[in-house]
């Protein structure tokens, strides 16, 4: 069983990055998001086998799905933003909300330079300690389908083989929409990846 309060604390402590959601002329709308460089070592201490995967649901504007698995429990976040990297950060921020971690403020407008990006240098990133009333239990996990879990493991094994074979980029394009929502979709993705490995 995962220890959600430890994951929540790790996410809260890592809320030091800024994701640019939209750009309008010389202004950008930004939101606070977890910084992976801060988050990763904390998750390592909780579960050395944790994983974070990304799926791009739409390329332009980028819509990204983030899936964090820690101690056997998984949560997802979905977001759109100005660039793919910003969408990944925003999806991670959305995922953090499922643990009860929210930014200290709503998205705000800042100055934007096409070369330097959003000017967030003067923004506060301190995330205050949560108020006891804000602590809510996590929503129940959806029931896990052992067949889907098995299919996902097979796809991940095949993905590792493709990376070793130097075909990770081609495999990533097949996996842009994730591992499939149904067993049939997962099997179709596995077949495509297997054909890529044989080809």
């Amino acid at each position: 069983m995962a220890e959600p309060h430890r994951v929540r604390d790790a996410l809260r402590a890592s809320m030091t990055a800024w994701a640019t959601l939209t750009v309008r002329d010389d202004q950008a709308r930004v939101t606070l998001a977890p910084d992976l460089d801060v988050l990763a070592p904390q998750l390592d201490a909780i579960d050395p086998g944790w994983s974070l995967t990304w799926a791009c649901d739409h390329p332009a504007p980028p819509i990204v799905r983030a899936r964090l698995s820690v101690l056997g429990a998984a949560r997802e976040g979905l977001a759109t933003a100005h660039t793919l990297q910003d969408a990944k950060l925003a999806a991670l921020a959305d995922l953090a909300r499922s643990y009860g971690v929210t930014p200290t403020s709503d998205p705000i407008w800042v100055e934007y330079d096409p070369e330097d990006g959003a000017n967030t240098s003067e923004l506060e990133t301190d995330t205050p300690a949560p108020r006891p009333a804000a602590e809510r239990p996590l929503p129940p996990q959806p029931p896990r389908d052992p067949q889907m879990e098995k299919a996902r493991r097979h796809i991940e094994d095949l993905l590792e083989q493709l990376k070793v074979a130097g075909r990770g980029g081609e495999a990533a394009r097949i996996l842009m929409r994730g591992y499939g929502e149904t067993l049939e979709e997962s099997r179709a993705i596995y077949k495509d990846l297997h054909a890529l490995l044989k080809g």
Side-chain angles (χ1 to χ4, degrees):
M1 182 65 189
E3 297 183 55
H5 65 281
R6 293 181 65 196
V7 180
R8 183 184 303 126
D9 291 345
L11 284 162
R12 184 176 290 118
S14 70
M15 294 288 274
T16 58
W18 291 95
T20 300
L21 301 176
T22 52
V23 171
R24 196 176 299 149
D25 301 321
D26 62 348
Q27 297 284 303
R29 190 164 161 261
V30 298
T31 190
L32 200 55
D35 182 335
L36 266 179
D37 291 336
V38 176
L39 179 62
Q42 295 184 60
L43 292 178
D44 284 340
I46 298 169
D47 174 14
W50 70 275
S51 69
L52 177 61
T53 56
W54 312 95
C56 184
D57 286 7
H58 191 267
I63 300 174
V64 170
R65 186 180 307 276
R67 181 181 173 87
L68 176 65
S69 299
V70 184
L71 294 172
R75 294 280 187 271
E76 285 193 354
L78 180 70
T80 183
H82 181 60
T83 66
L84 185 60
Q85 185 59 34
D86 286 312
K88 288 169 82 171
L89 281 175
L92 195 54
D94 186 54
L95 183 154
R97 285 184 187 89
S98 73
Y99 281 95
V101 178
T102 54
T104 51
S105 67
D106 290 329
I108 51 178
W109 290 93
V110 296
E111 292 178 358
Y112 179 81
D113 180 276
E115 289 182 17
D116 298 330
N119 180 7
T120 58
S121 59
E122 295 179 18
L123 298 179
E124 289 290 322
T125 59
D126 292 336
T127 306
R131 294 181 299 278
E135 292 289 335
R136 295 188 309 263
L138 291 173
Q141 278 277 55
R144 292 171 69 156
D145 180 346
Q147 295 236 306
M148 284 296 287
E149 295 288 326
K150 189 174 177 184
R152 179 176 291 275
R153 282 196 302 275
H154 285 311
I155 289 172
E156 287 171 352
D157 291 344
L158 197 50
L159 186 56
E160 287 304 313
Q161 293 175 44
L162 284 160
K163 285 179 184 173
V164 170
R167 306 197 81 164
E170 295 164 84
R173 281 191 282 282
I174 293 173
L175 291 173
M176 282 300 271
R177 292 199 156 276
Y179 289 31
E181 297 296 317
T182 65
L183 199 53
E184 290 72 28
E185 288 177 14
S186 293
R187 285 180 177 149
I189 290 166
Y190 181 86
K191 283 180 185 171
D192 289 346
L193 290 170
H194 199 266
L196 184 61
L197 185 63
K198 292 294 180 191

